Amino acid sequence: GALTVTGTSALNAGTGDITLTNAANNFVGTVSSSGANLSLTDGTGGLVLGATNATGTLSVTSTGGGITQVTPYTSSNAITTGGAASFTATSGANAADITLANPDNSFGGVVALSGKDVSIVDKTALTLGAVTTTGNLNVNGTGGLNFGTTSVGGALSATSGNGAITQTGALTVTGTSALSAGMGDITLNDATNNFAGAVSSTGANVSLTDGAG
């Protein structure tokens, strides 16, 4: 059955999995979770993540609003994953915001994202999988940033913390793109890239390809 929790939720499975994917779940307060593979769904009012530690995979879905992290941001309430992670946020038929901006987040595997305005920060190198935003995308890795197939309905801001910015899938950006690799290289040479807006870039060696428009 569905879980309705007015206060905070603290879930600890040790080496086991946590699977709470009932579409009618309603976690009103912050949700902290620890286990192997974690899968959380909230259907009302959005979802606020506290300390989240998945030694394996992490899947977070909100169908009633955005996904955020508890503030103030500290190392003790960050997200840490050993494997792949996915975040999907909607509100009714519309995409909702995803804000994963804790500077102590550490994503050990590929991260997939689907929402409206989406922001993500990783204190290590960040590898993105499929990313779809109807609004803006703001991504910050430390020591490297790799894009998978990415569709941005607004503007793109990407920072790699002096690591390389690379890709394994095409980038489609409706708005402007601001790329900052510091002392790292930027290599975005997929022939099907489509940067519809102006592209600003800062790095050591910069190589850009646009195949449309």
Side-chain angles (χ1 to χ4, degrees):
L3 279 167
T4 301
V5 184
T6 302
T8 60
S9 299
L11 313 168
N12 190 337
T15 58
D17 296 340
I18 298 175
T19 307
L20 301 176
T21 53
N22 191 304
N25 288 341
N26 182 9
F27 298 102
V28 178
T30 301
V31 179
S32 301
S33 56
S34 180
N37 302 296
L38 310 181
S39 187
L40 306 171
T41 298
D42 185 284
T44 303
L47 183 59
V48 181
L49 299 175
T52 305
N53 186 359
T55 57
T57 61
L58 173 64
S59 174
V60 180
T61 301
S62 173
T63 58
I67 299 171
T68 59
Q69 292 184 269
V70 66
T71 56
Y73 297 137
T74 67
S75 59
S76 62
N77 58 32
I79 298 171
T80 302
T81 67
S86 66
F87 300 88
T88 302
T90 57
S91 181
N94 300 313
D97 295 344
I98 300 172
T99 306
L100 307 174
N102 189 315
D104 287 300
N105 290 338
S106 179
F107 297 97
V110 174
V111 182
L113 302 157
S114 179
K116 185 184 177 184
D117 292 322
V118 175
S119 297
I120 184 170
V121 176
D122 191 339
K123 71 177 183 179
T124 62
L126 177 60
T127 302
L128 297 174
V131 175
T132 301
T133 75
T134 58
N136 301 325
L137 175 63
N138 189 323
V139 292
N140 287 270
T142 305
L145 173 61
N146 181 268
F147 286 100
T149 301
T150 301
S151 176
V152 181
L156 169 65
S157 175
T159 304
S160 65
N162 292 317
I165 297 179
T166 58
Q167 67 183 140
T168 56
L171 277 164
T172 301
V173 185
T174 302
T176 59
S177 298
L179 312 169
S180 178
M183 295 181 294
D185 295 341
I186 299 174
T187 308
L188 301 176
N189 285 337
D190 191 297
T192 56
N193 288 338
N194 183 6
F195 298 102
V199 180
S200 303
S201 55
T202 302
N205 302 294
V206 178
S207 182
L208 304 173
T209 297
D210 186 298

